[in-house]
Amino acid sequence: MSEDKETPERTRERLRQAELKRNPTGNMNDTFNKAGTGNLADLAGSLGWKGICILILIILMGFILSSIFFK
């Protein structure tokens, strides 16, 4: 197989990543809606590292607050 040919899977992934970079807020909304169906990879991909850190902090704060108030 020639190295200059791109497989359809790689083409789709490259186009998806390009769309995420062009329109991050619209894709974040789409990803949150898709997250209800269990697609965690799209959620993490659209949030980026800052969004993931904020999400982890919110989860940790919720766990700590629930353990304090609901002993």
Side-chain angles (χ1 to χ4, degrees), residues 6-24:
E6 192 173 36
T7 64
E9 292 85 12
R10 287 189 181 261
T11 304
R12 278 193 298 273
E13 183 62 26
R14 181 178 50 79
L15 291 173
R16 188 178 74 82
Q17 290 297 325
E19 177 64 26
L20 285 173
K21 288 180 182 178
R22 279 194 309 266
N23 189 5

Side-chain angles (χ1 to χ4, degrees), residues 19-33 45-47:
E19 177 64 26
L20 285 173
K21 288 180 182 178
R22 279 194 309 266
N23 189 5
T25 55
N27 285 317
M28 186 176 6
N29 184 28
D30 291 343
T31 304
F32 276 123
N33 292 334
S46 71
L47 288 177

Side-chain angles (χ1 to χ4, degrees), residues 7-71:
T7 64
E9 292 85 12
R10 287 189 181 261
T11 304
R12 278 193 298 273
E13 183 62 26
R14 181 178 50 79
L15 291 173
R16 188 178 74 82
Q17 290 297 325
E19 177 64 26
L20 285 173
K21 288 180 182 178
R22 279 194 309 266
N23 189 5
T25 55
N27 285 317
M28 186 176 6
N29 184 28
D30 291 343
T31 304
F32 276 123
N33 292 334
K34 287 181 187 176
T37 62
N39 197 349
L40 188 59
D42 284 339
L43 175 64
S46 71
L47 288 177
W49 69 271
K50 291 178 186 175
I52 294 295
C53 289
I54 291 171
L55 184 64
I56 290 171
L57 286 174
I58 290 172
I59 291 171
L60 287 174
M61 288 174 52
F63 178 73
I64 291 169
L65 289 174
S66 66
S67 66
I68 289 172
F69 290 119
F70 300 113
K71 273 190 173 179

